[in-house]
Amino acid sequence: MQSITPIRPRQRSIEFLRLLIDGAAIIGTLAIVKGLSPGWFDNQAIVAGLTAILAFLLLGHVTGLYRAGLDMTANQEVVRVTTTWVLTMAVIAGLAFFARYGQHFARSVVLGWCIMAPVMICLIRMIWRVCQRMLLKQGIGTRRVAIAGLNDLGLQVSRNIEQSPGLGFQLTGFYDDRERERRSELGPNDPQLLGKIDDLILAAQNNEFDIVMISLPMRAEERIKFILEKLSDSTASVYIVPDFFVFELMHSQWTNMGGIPAVSVFESPLYGVDGVSKRLVDIAVTISALVAAAIPMLMIAAAIKLTSPGPVFFRQRRYGVDGREILVWKFRSMTTCDNGSVVRQATKGDARITPLGAILRKTSLDELPQLFNVLEGSMSLVGPRPHASAHNEHYRGQIRGYMLRHKIKPGITGLAQVEGCRGETDTLDKMQRRVDFDHRYIRDWSLWLDIRILFKTLLVAWRQPEAY
């Protein structure tokens, strides 16, 4: 049996250089502010600087600042640098407090460093962007690209290249053997069809371009093999772009299983460091929230007991991570506690909702007991909202990919909720929209996205007319 050579990740020396530059900016600004104040850049400053660099680089991977393949705009880069630095300073402040290390630094030094470091990092990164654009406009560092396969995937590849000038790719055109009626239609701004696959091979052998991207469908295995064999007699770099767009990808990424390359199609983004960081944030924020909400929760509990017969809390069966059933805590807001195979959704003017329950549901205060679910680990602060088990069984057969929303822990709030998907899902389209937002959250997850959703929840939870 022929052995399989593992696919190795491309070494990104440019990313390593960015790490070095960011580190130099952090420790360099500390040296500057230390030099301008009474004192020297001593051992204590070196320790503080190196600790800050380590924290910044680690947190940068959590906030998405160093995420591989991320094509950020300048504004996004500034926001992520600032967020990463604020979190870094929080870590440094915590360590200095417990180690009693802050006495070695004057307040002016700390304040100056807090301001100068992110400004310097952003300034260097902006200069980097400008220089890169100037060089690419002069043709320095650009690589000529040809695409084998004039189909929907090939067109998408060409448009991604056009929209990402930082890649340094200069698109020459398409090559395809198929008849005109089997090819995709070119738009007015798309590169032109330059010939057949044989013309592509001849052009590659004549060094007319540097990169060939093969966008043929996976079923054209023999044709792909033929192209690869012929292109081995050229110096062109060759990339195969699999047509995975026919699948619904969920946080897809390359992985290696015992030397065999594979692509995850449905996967959770919260394994390893990302999962640990999200859990630590959940615990810290939940404990703080419980302390702050203890008295209001006691008052709500007393009001429920005094205004209607029945328990203060009820626990409803819902699906948690990987579809495992969990019991979700809620303040009772109805005269009934439906928890069987049939659970009727609340509707406008629902007679089951108590007068106090209407207020609790409108303001989302009935969800506060779910902080206990977060603390025990069955839920997260942010994630797809858990639906009643009966609703899950109803919709999983009607909405494609519905159960993929359970690849991560359910949340007290989520992207769908802050985008207006609350209340009754009386039509399939409403539930479909909610599921689409859940999928988008899982695909785009970052700690920064969680923070944005939490802040947005505070702004929109009180004024959503569709919540009843």
Side-chain angles (χ1 to χ4, degrees):
M1 181 178 177
Q2 185 178 5
S3 62
I4 298 177
T5 304
I7 293 178
R8 303 186 184 279
R10 181 183 172 190
Q11 298 297 321
R12 298 183 178 272
S13 55
I14 191 170
E15 295 299 331
F16 181 68
L17 183 58
R18 282 179 179 171
L19 297 177
L20 290 179
I21 292 175
D22 289 347
I26 290 171
I27 203 161
T29 51
L30 178 58
I32 291 172
V33 295
K34 257 298 209 179
L36 294 176
S37 65
W40 300 94
F41 191 65
D42 49 19
N43 292 336
Q44 286 82 9
I46 293 174
V47 171
L50 293 178
T51 304
I53 290 173
L54 180 61
F56 187 85
L57 299 186
L58 291 175
L59 290 168
H61 285 85
V62 174
T63 60
L65 182 62
Y66 298 115
R67 191 159 295 168
L70 191 62
D71 188 22
M72 289 182 290
T73 64
N75 289 340
Q76 289 173 332
E77 193 165 27
V78 169
V79 168
R80 288 185 178 169
V81 167
T82 305
T83 302
T84 306
W85 182 248
V86 169
L87 294 174
T88 299
M89 284 292 96
V91 170
I92 296 297
L95 292 176
F97 175 78
F98 287 109
R100 296 182 179 179
Y101 205 74
Q103 59 187 352
H104 298 289
F105 298 91
R107 292 179 182 177
S108 59
V109 171
V110 175
L111 180 61
W113 190 33
C114 286
I115 296 173
M116 283 189 63
V119 170
M120 183 65 70
I121 294 171
C122 290
L123 181 62
I124 293 174
R125 283 174 171 260
M126 293 306 107
I127 293 173
W128 181 294
R129 280 177 176 268
V130 172
C131 292
Q132 187 181 40
R133 295 277 175 90
M134 291 176 60
L135 292 173
L136 292 176
K137 284 183 178 179
Q138 297 298 321
I140 300 173
T142 59
R143 305 178 78 189
R144 298 161 297 171
V145 179
I147 298 177
L150 179 49
N151 49 28
D152 291 343
L153 178 60
L155 288 173
Q156 185 61 54
V157 170
S158 72
R159 288 160 190 166
N160 285 0
I161 290 174
E162 292 296 332
Q163 294 167 8
S164 305
L167 295 174
F169 290 164
Q170 180 183 347
L171 203 53
T172 58
F174 294 92
Y175 293 85
D176 201 310
D177 282 337
R178 296 174 301 171
E179 299 299 327
R180 180 173 182 177
E181 58 271 13
R182 296 180 57 202
R183 300 193 299 259
S184 297
E185 290 294 328
L186 288 167
N189 298 321
D190 292 324
Q192 296 303 303
L193 178 66
L194 300 180
K196 296 185 179 294
I197 297 299
D198 288 339
D199 299 319
L200 166 72
I201 294 168
L202 182 61
Q205 292 172 345
N206 291 332
N207 297 322
E208 293 183 18
F209 35 72
D210 307 296
I211 296 175
V212 176
M213 290 192 172
I214 302 174
S215 64
L216 297 177
M218 290 185 290
R219 62 179 178 274
E221 180 183 358
E222 293 302 321
R223 193 59 175 157
I224 294 173
K225 284 183 179 179
F226 170 78
I227 296 173
L228 292 177
E229 181 181 349
K230 294 298 182 180
L231 289 178
S232 66
D233 187 30
S234 74
T235 59
S237 300
V238 182
Y239 292 80
I240 296 177
V241 186
D243 56 344
F244 289 132
F245 71 94
V246 299
F247 305 114
E248 184 173 356
L249 299 184
M250 183 66 68
H251 204 78
S252 58
Q253 58 186 357
W254 284 106
T255 187
N256 193 297
M257 297 183 175
I260 299 177
V263 175
S264 62
V265 179
F266 307 132
E267 184 55 280
S268 167
L270 297 176
Y271 285 121
V273 175
D274 287 340
V276 173
S277 63
K278 184 174 173 67
R279 180 61 181 152
L280 291 175
V281 171
D282 278 347
I283 293 173
V285 176
T286 299
I287 292 175
S288 301
L290 283 172
V291 171
I295 294 177
M297 288 177 71
L298 288 173
M299 294 173 64
I300 292 171
I304 292 173
K305 199 66 179 174
L306 293 172
T307 56
S308 63
V312 171
F313 303 101
F314 86 98
R315 302 186 72 184
Q316 190 175 60
R317 288 198 297 269
R318 302 192 176 188
Y319 283 2
V321 65
D322 294 330
R324 293 191 294 267
E325 199 168 67
I326 61 173
L327 292 174
V328 174
W329 287 89
K330 294 190 75 171
F331 279 126
R332 182 178 58 82
S333 58
M334 293 184 173
T335 56
T336 62
C337 298
D338 297 339
N339 201 19
S341 58
V342 177
V343 177
R344 185 160 61 93
Q345 282 189 319
T347 58
K348 191 172 184 179
D350 198 318
R352 298 172 299 164
I353 301 176
T354 65
L356 177 61
I359 299 173
L360 296 179
R361 296 173 71 90
K362 192 71 174 179
T363 57
S364 298
L365 292 175
D366 63 321
E367 312 281 0
L368 281 177
Q370 290 172 27
L371 291 170
F372 297 118
N373 286 103
V374 177
L375 204 58
E376 72 179 10
S378 60
M379 289 182 64
S380 178
L381 289 171
V382 183
R385 284 289 298 143
H387 301 151
S389 298
H391 296 159
N392 287 322
E393 293 304 318
H394 173 72
Y395 286 112
R396 67 186 301 176
Q398 300 187 56
I399 297 178
R400 182 175 176 231
Y402 178 86
M403 291 301 290
L404 294 177
R405 64 194 302 275
H406 300 103
K407 292 300 296 180
I408 63 174
K409 292 178 183 178
I412 295 179
T413 185
L415 182 62
Q417 281 60 48
V418 299
E419 294 294 338
C421 294
R422 288 192 67 193
E424 183 185 6
T425 52
D426 51 345
T427 66
L428 193 63
D429 288 343
K430 289 184 178 179
M431 181 59 79
Q432 177 71 66
R433 185 165 178 260
R434 185 178 293 187
V435 171
D436 289 342
F437 274 116
D438 291 338
H439 287 181
R440 176 178 156 192
Y441 170 77
I442 297 174
R443 283 195 302 268
D444 299 342
W445 179 85
S446 69
L447 204 59
W448 171 239
L449 178 60
D450 276 2
I451 294 170
R452 284 166 50 199
I453 291 173
L454 286 173
F455 276 107
K456 196 168 183 179
T457 298
L458 297 176
L459 298 176
V460 304
W462 307 92
R463 50 180 178 84
Q464 294 199 44
E466 64 277 9
Y468 35 80

